[in-house]
């Protein structure tokens, strides 16, 4: 039986697509093995969001080649897609597959076997590129499944390469999504993470223009679905209807990831973000008025071109003032082909590192404060893994990691526990 191994970089959408590709390989008679094993085919599902992500994609490909020089090494997704646009493809691999060509992966691997030179299968995006998705419902052995409902982005934030890597916005029709959710529940998944590249745009391209709230309400009603988590949503796409849905459905996780990117209006404008700081603040206030204990996580970019020390400080103060349960900090990375790549006023590397460290430290403090606020409360936890010392870990619906030594716990089980710091404690 031929073997295939996967390594995934980047976002939750990529994770879901890797699961779906693994399913296609299994159906074609392959055995999926760990990436550290000797495999016949290594698939690297790449990311191009930063220079470092591209570098890492190349390093992983080299590592796979070293592990088994006879193997076929395949790079798929965002990196080959944007590299093609730049006219410089990564070398040293046997097959390059574009973002929209993932559903053809097995056929392409078979074709690459016969080819005498590396095969390139990177399609161009067109306006009518329809939604391409492959089922992930046979993914086994994990407690949380990702369910991709949307692809592409047309926001064109000035720093972001994703619209060029993923193409125009396309949505998956509601009945298909519901069917997939039913299969995932049937396969034993307790939690489904609804993902998309720009999930707030869901439905704009579909007949009748259903919106995200309509879609989520249908999925929340799938019998047996214990948890639905929304992966990330732009601030200006959160309305009263979404929050009222979260309040009405106890299986809708009380957690939203709402990218901020900067806490200064001039920088937000230069980034081509569609809100200013006072609008962002109002949205957070509205969200908290519905669910006061909600966990709000965010992304911030430091060192965007021309960002001054005072503007960075404004971002720092804004983040501290809003208070997030988790903070992801990114150093600005110049992406050729984006408007920001042409901007003058680059922030020196050392300065970006300093700003990033300051915000990471703030993020840790805020995460700790949020976690400490759960002490003495009862939480529902989806238990996931047990380590070699017998300690179980899992997540609350607010995406806080809880640990316990309770030997009665089982993987993929949801229990209600008292966070007392002894029998169950928080890991920050
Ligand atoms: S919304 Fe902005 S940051 Fe997010 S994928 Fe689209 S262009 Fe990139």
């Amino acid at each position: 039986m031929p073997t295939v191994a996967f390594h995934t970089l980047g976002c939750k959408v990529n994770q879901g697509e890797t699961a779906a590709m693994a399913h296609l390989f299994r159906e074609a008679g392959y055995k999926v093995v760990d990436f550290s094993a000797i495999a016949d085919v290594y698939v690297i599902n790449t990311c191009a969001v930063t220079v470092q992500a591209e570098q890492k994609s190349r390093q992983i490909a080299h590592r796979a080649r070293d592990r088994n020089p006879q193997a076929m090494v395949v790079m798929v997704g965002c990196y080959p897609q944007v590299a093609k646009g730049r006219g410089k493809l990564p070398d040293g691999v046997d097959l390059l597959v574009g973002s929209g060509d993932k559903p053809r992966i097995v056929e392409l691997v078979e074709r690459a076997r016969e080819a005498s030179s590396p095969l390139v299968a990177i399609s161009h995006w067109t306006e009518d590129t329809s939604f391409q998705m492959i089922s992930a419902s046979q993914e086994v052995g994990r407690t949380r499944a990702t369910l991709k409902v949307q692809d592409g982005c047309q926001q064109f934030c000035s720093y972001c390469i994703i619209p060029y890597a993923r193409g125009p916005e396309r949505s998956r029709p509601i009945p298909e999504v519901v069917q997939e959710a039913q299969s995932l529940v049937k396969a034993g998944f307790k939690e489904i993470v609804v993902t998309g590249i720009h999930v707030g745009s869901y439905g704009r391209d579909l007949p009748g223009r259903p919106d995200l709230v309509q879609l989520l309400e249908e999925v929340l009603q799938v019998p047996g679905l214990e948890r639905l988590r929304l992966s990330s949503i732009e601030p200006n796409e959160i309305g009263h209807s979404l929050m009222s849905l979260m309040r009405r459905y106890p299986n809708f996780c009380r957690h939203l990831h709402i990218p901020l990117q900067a806490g200064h209006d001039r920088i937000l404008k230069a980034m081509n973000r569609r809100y200013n700081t006072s609008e962002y603040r109002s949205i957070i206030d509205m969200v908290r008025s519905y669910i006061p204990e909600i966990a709000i996580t965010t992304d911030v970019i430091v060192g965007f071109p021309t960002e001054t020390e005072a503007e960075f400080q404004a971002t720092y103060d804004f983040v501290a003032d809003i208070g997030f349960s988790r903070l992801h900090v990114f150093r600005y990375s110049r992406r050729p082909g984006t408007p920001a790549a042409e901007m003058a006023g680059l922030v020196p590397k050392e300065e970006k590192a300093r700003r990033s460290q300051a915000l990471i430290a703030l993020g840790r403090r805020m995460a700790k404060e949020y976690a400490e606020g759960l002490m003495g409360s009862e939480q529902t936890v989806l238990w996931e893994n047990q380590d070699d010392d017998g300690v179980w870990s899992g997540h609350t619906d607010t995406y806080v990691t809880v640990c316990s030594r309770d030997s009665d716990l089982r993987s993929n089980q949801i229990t209600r526990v008292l966070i007392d710091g002894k029998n169950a404690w928080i890991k920050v």
Side-chain angles (χ1 to χ4, degrees):
M1 187 186 260
T3 53
V4 59
F6 292 89
H7 187 97
T8 309
L9 292 119
C11 60
K12 284 213 167 65
V13 173
N14 258 9
Q15 287 168 24
E17 289 175 349
T18 294
M21 287 189 284
H23 173 53
L24 291 180
F25 274 101
R26 277 194 204 97
E27 282 201 320
Y30 282 74
K31 182 175 179 211
V32 177
V33 297
D34 198 79
F35 203 79
S36 58
I38 302 290
D40 299 311
V41 182
Y42 289 98
V43 178
I44 298 117
N45 196 2
T46 63
C47 175
V49 84
T50 59
V51 175
Q52 290 75 16
E54 288 186 3
Q55 266 167 4
K56 191 134 188 242
S57 303
R58 290 196 297 271
Q59 281 164 5
I60 305 282
H62 290 148
R63 213 179 293 161
R65 169 74 66 228
D66 289 348
R67 193 162 298 141
N68 181 9
Q70 317 310 326
M72 179 183 299
V73 178
V74 186
M75 261 194 200
V76 304
C78 292
Y79 178 30
Q81 191 78 39
V82 299
K84 187 180 183 202
R86 269 184 233 144
K88 191 170 183 319
L89 289 171
D91 51 20
V93 296
D94 304 295
L95 172 62
L96 289 164
V97 178
S99 300
D101 302 280
K102 288 176 184 177
R104 297 195 295 138
I105 181 89
V106 178
E107 170 216 325
L108 292 168
V109 163
E110 300 299 333
R111 264 176 51 202
R113 267 191 215 292
E114 312 295 321
S116 51
S117 55
L119 188 70
V120 177
I122 305 172
S123 305
H124 278 298
W125 299 113
T126 59
E127 274 309 306
D128 62 354
T129 303
S130 60
F131 189 87
Q132 288 163 314
M133 191 50 205
I134 34 190
S135 166
S137 56
Q138 297 306 311
E139 182 191 20
V140 286
R142 295 180 58 187
T143 52
R144 184 178 297 117
T146 51
L147 174 51
K148 182 178 148 191
V149 302
Q150 184 278 339
D151 204 340
C153 182
Q154 283 156 240
Q155 290 264 99
F156 292 96
C157 298
S158 65
Y159 52 83
C160 184
I161 195 73
I162 301 294
Y164 311 89
R166 288 277 181 175
E169 290 160 355
R170 291 98 71 204
S171 313
R172 198 172 181 194
I174 291 180
E176 259 185 50
V177 175
V178 170
Q179 204 181 19
E180 175 92 14
Q182 286 165 342
S183 303
L184 290 166
V185 170
K186 215 164 143 203
F189 288 98
K190 296 276 193 291
E191 181 174 317
I192 290 178
V193 185
V194 170
T195 65
I197 295 296
H198 180 199
V199 87
S201 74
Y202 178 84
R204 284 177 201 163
D205 57 311
L206 291 175
R209 293 173 66 91
D211 66 9
L212 181 66
V213 173
Q214 278 170 269
L215 170 81
L216 294 177
E217 182 146 25
E218 296 272 344
V219 179
L220 284 159
Q221 292 177 48
V222 167
L225 176 61
E226 303 225 23
R227 280 185 178 183
L228 180 151
R229 189 181 301 280
L230 188 57
S231 70
S232 175
I233 183 160
E234 290 291 298
N236 45 339
E237 286 159 353
I238 303 170
H240 289 277
S241 55
L242 181 76
M243 295 317 300
S244 138
L245 192 73
M246 189 179 276
R247 195 157 64 182
R248 277 186 287 129
Y249 284 86
N251 55 345
F252 193 164
C253 292
R254 298 162 303 157
H255 170 212
L256 285 177
H257 184 80
I258 313 174
L260 169 66
Q261 309 303 13
H264 189 280
D265 290 342
R266 189 190 72 83
I267 298 292
L268 284 173
K269 197 153 186 263
M271 286 177 162
N272 196 28
R273 301 290 290 168
R274 312 287 173 96
Y275 52 88
N276 59 32
T277 47
S278 81
E279 285 161 345
Y280 189 95
R281 189 188 293 277
S282 308
I283 289 155
I284 299 293
D285 289 347
M286 185 272 286
V287 164
R288 287 181 170 148
S289 73
Y290 278 87
I291 319 266
E293 70 283 12
I294 193 168
I296 301 175
T297 53
T298 199
D299 300 325
V300 176
I301 296 172
V302 295
F304 185 81
T306 73
E307 182 190 64
T308 63
E309 174 59 23
E311 286 164 341
F312 165 69
Q313 195 55 51
T315 290
Y316 184 99
D317 295 343
F318 188 78
V319 167
D321 194 32
I322 296 278
F324 294 95
S325 65
R326 195 178 291 213
L327 181 61
H328 301 268
V329 183
F330 298 87
R331 299 176 196 186
Y332 169 74
S333 181
R334 187 177 167 273
R335 308 282 55 220
T338 61
E342 308 304 318
M343 289 180 189
L346 286 185
V347 176
K349 211 166 137 199
E350 303 69 37
E351 187 52 32
K352 278 196 279 190
R354 190 191 63 77
R355 292 177 189 179
S356 155
Q357 280 153 14
L359 265 182
I360 288 171
L362 171 64
R364 285 208 189 102
R365 282 204 301 280
M366 291 189 302
K368 200 160 168 267
E369 269 166 35
Y370 184 84
E372 281 168 3
L374 299 184
M375 270 302 279
S377 69
E378 277 201 3
Q379 298 289 325
T380 50
V381 179
L382 170 57
W383 298 101
E384 290 157 44
N385 303 305
Q386 190 178 30
D387 70 12
D388 294 343
D389 296 329
V391 176
W392 279 99
S393 60
H395 286 90
T396 62
D397 73 322
T398 48
Y399 213 64
V400 170
T401 310
V402 177
C403 298
S404 173
R405 285 189 186 278
D406 185 345
S407 57
D408 290 339
L409 295 173
R410 297 283 169 269
S411 179
N412 204 26
Q413 177 190 34
I414 294 183
T415 65
R416 202 158 169 79
V417 291
L418 174 69
I419 311 294
D420 60 1
K422 259 168 52 194
N423 295 318
W425 64 96
I426 304 278
K427 188 168 146 198
V428 182

